Amino acid sequence: MVPRTPAPVPASAASAPRVNVLLLAVAGAVAVANIYFPQPLLAAVARGLDVSERTAGAIASAAQIGYALGILLLVPLADSARLRRLTSVLLALTGAALLVAAAAPDVVTLALATLALSTTTVLPQILTPVAAVLAGPGRQGRVVGLVGLGLTLGSTLSRTVSGAVADASGSWRVAYVVAAVATAALLPVLPRRLPERLGSRGDTSYAGLLAGLPRLLAVHRELRISALLGACVFAAFSVFWSVLAFHLAAPPLGYGPGAVGLFGVLTLPAALLSAAAGPLADRYGAPAVNAGGLVCAGLGLAAAGLAPYVPVVLVAGANLLVVGVSSCQVANQARIFGIGRAVAARVNTVFMLATFGGGALGSLAGSWLYGAHGWSAALLAAGACVAVGGLVVVSARPAVPSCVRDVTREAGGIRPRIPQGES
């Protein structure tokens, strides 16, 4: 038997620091919070800028669209750029855009500032593949799950913090200032703890990195499955959270931004539980975790739709939705990071672009449906997205395993597509 020759390891990776999961999780939480903390403020923004709730809902859509643009245009750079310099620039630009948003005199300025800051606050989608690469084989699912926990906590607790800050200060603008300070606090800490590069520096130009993204999607079946699932579940997630502030503020509930933000604390159990998705995906496979997550998300939406004015039921539904969507996210990323380290940032780009593209559509559709037809119509749309995700899981037959060693995959390259068991 010919002994296996290990795949070459880039010098930058060999000398890379060990993964500091806690730091990456905290940094990811702070960065991803910039996308979600405005959601409980939408009703207050509508009143403060004298616009309709539907117009204020465009802020949530701008955040999702900007995040998708940043994932497309900036995250691929992590496969070849200097990570420390890239991280520092992104943090500085995000902090500046947050301050512009805090001083916005009208909704157009606020929407443009939100688009800008959400474009540059894509650090979580750079840190996740970095963590997976540094962790190495056998620990990727667990590490991705822990970093994903940080992202879940950031997305949920940010709503609590922003709602509390708005209530205490009497102004939604103060929440943007707090976010800017938190983002700036990462500048002297995070870049120094990252490797200089994710992999070896290649000859591929920036245009080449972007041009190769469709080919990754065409070649890798795992990426296609995860991208479609991510779009479905995050569309449902965004529908719910983009209209929740309006639903809670309307009669008969009549709650303020603080109560909306409190949902972040009340969904903390679900966020913590989602950390188990990584080890479960390692043990039972991503499809099983996807299926369980979709069931949880569907049950959560059903509960919120059947008892729309019972706070306890709404909280229970939000918990089920958070744990379901977060578990699907971790399982999807565990699936795609097995493709190869040399393309880790780019496969994450394709996956997250699909995911947040679905989120942007969900926010837009949710705000429109709520304004036109109310809470039930918005939740029905979210449930339809979950149902489509279920069809993807059921119809995605597992590929027939090959007994031939895949040298290209071990080296992190892109292998030609050889259909095995696919129709």
Side-chain angles (χ1 to χ4, degrees), residues 190-280:
L190 180 63
R192 296 189 304 168
R193 303 301 299 270
L194 295 177
E196 184 63 22
R197 295 184 186 276
L198 184 58
S200 59
R201 181 175 182 177
D203 296 328
T204 306
S205 65
Y206 174 66
L209 290 174
L210 297 184
L213 295 178
R215 184 166 180 251
L216 285 171
L217 189 62
V219 168
H220 296 291
R221 180 176 184 269
E222 305 96 320
L223 184 55
R224 295 194 299 274
I225 295 171
S226 289
L228 185 53
L229 277 171
C232 290
V233 297
F234 208 68
F237 185 84
S238 296
V239 167
F240 179 85
W241 287 104
S242 65
V243 303
L244 180 64
F246 300 136
H247 177 66
L248 294 180
L253 295 175
Y255 295 141
V260 180
L262 184 61
F263 269 68
V265 171
L266 298 177
T267 56
L268 185 59
L272 295 174
L273 184 61
S274 68
L280 288 174

Side-chain angles (χ1 to χ4, degrees), residues 83-380:
L83 285 178
R84 296 171 186 174
R85 180 182 300 174
L86 178 62
T87 300
S88 298
V89 171
L90 292 179
L91 288 172
L93 291 175
T94 302
L98 283 165
L99 293 178
V100 172
D106 51 53
V107 72
V108 174
T109 304
L110 179 58
L112 291 176
T114 300
L115 185 68
L117 72 90
S118 57
T119 300
T120 57
T121 192
V122 291
L123 200 56
Q125 306 316 322
I126 294 175
L127 297 180
T128 303
V130 166
V133 167
L134 294 181
R139 297 183 63 236
Q140 288 185 336
R142 184 179 299 273
V143 169
V144 168
L146 291 174
V147 175
L149 173 61
L151 304 188
T152 302
L153 291 175
S155 63
T156 54
L157 294 181
S158 63
R159 301 181 179 95
T160 303
V161 173
S162 65
V165 168
D167 274 355
S169 64
S171 172
W172 56 268
R173 300 178 186 273
V174 179
Y176 281 86
V177 176
V178 171
V181 172
T183 300
L186 294 175
L187 262 172
V189 180
L190 180 63
R192 296 189 304 168
R193 303 301 299 270
L194 295 177
E196 184 63 22
R197 295 184 186 276
L198 184 58
S200 59
R201 181 175 182 177
D203 296 328
T204 306
S205 65
Y206 174 66
L209 290 174
L210 297 184
L213 295 178
R215 184 166 180 251
L216 285 171
L217 189 62
V219 168
H220 296 291
R221 180 176 184 269
E222 305 96 320
L223 184 55
R224 295 194 299 274
I225 295 171
S226 289
L228 185 53
L229 277 171
C232 290
V233 297
F234 208 68
F237 185 84
S238 296
V239 167
F240 179 85
W241 287 104
S242 65
V243 303
L244 180 64
F246 300 136
H247 177 66
L248 294 180
L253 295 175
Y255 295 141
V260 180
L262 184 61
F263 269 68
V265 171
L266 298 177
T267 56
L268 185 59
L272 295 174
L273 184 61
S274 68
L280 288 174
D282 286 337
R283 182 171 183 179
Y284 299 107
V289 178
N290 284 141
L294 289 169
V295 169
C296 289
L299 291 175
L301 292 171
L306 293 173
Y309 304 114
V310 182
V312 174
V313 177
L314 289 175
V315 170
N319 270 276
L320 286 168
L321 182 63
V322 167
V323 73
V325 172
S326 299
S327 298
C328 282
Q329 178 87 337
V330 171
N332 287 333
Q333 288 186 301
R335 180 190 287 116
I336 65 172
F337 287 138
I339 292 175
R341 65 180 299 148
V343 293
R346 278 170 284 172
V347 296
N348 198 45
T349 293
V350 175
F351 167 68
M352 295 307 303
L353 183 63
T355 298
F356 281 90
L361 292 175
S363 296
L364 187 62
S367 298
W368 184 86
L369 284 170
Y370 180 82
H373 303 288
W375 175 254
S376 296
L379 291 195
L380 281 174

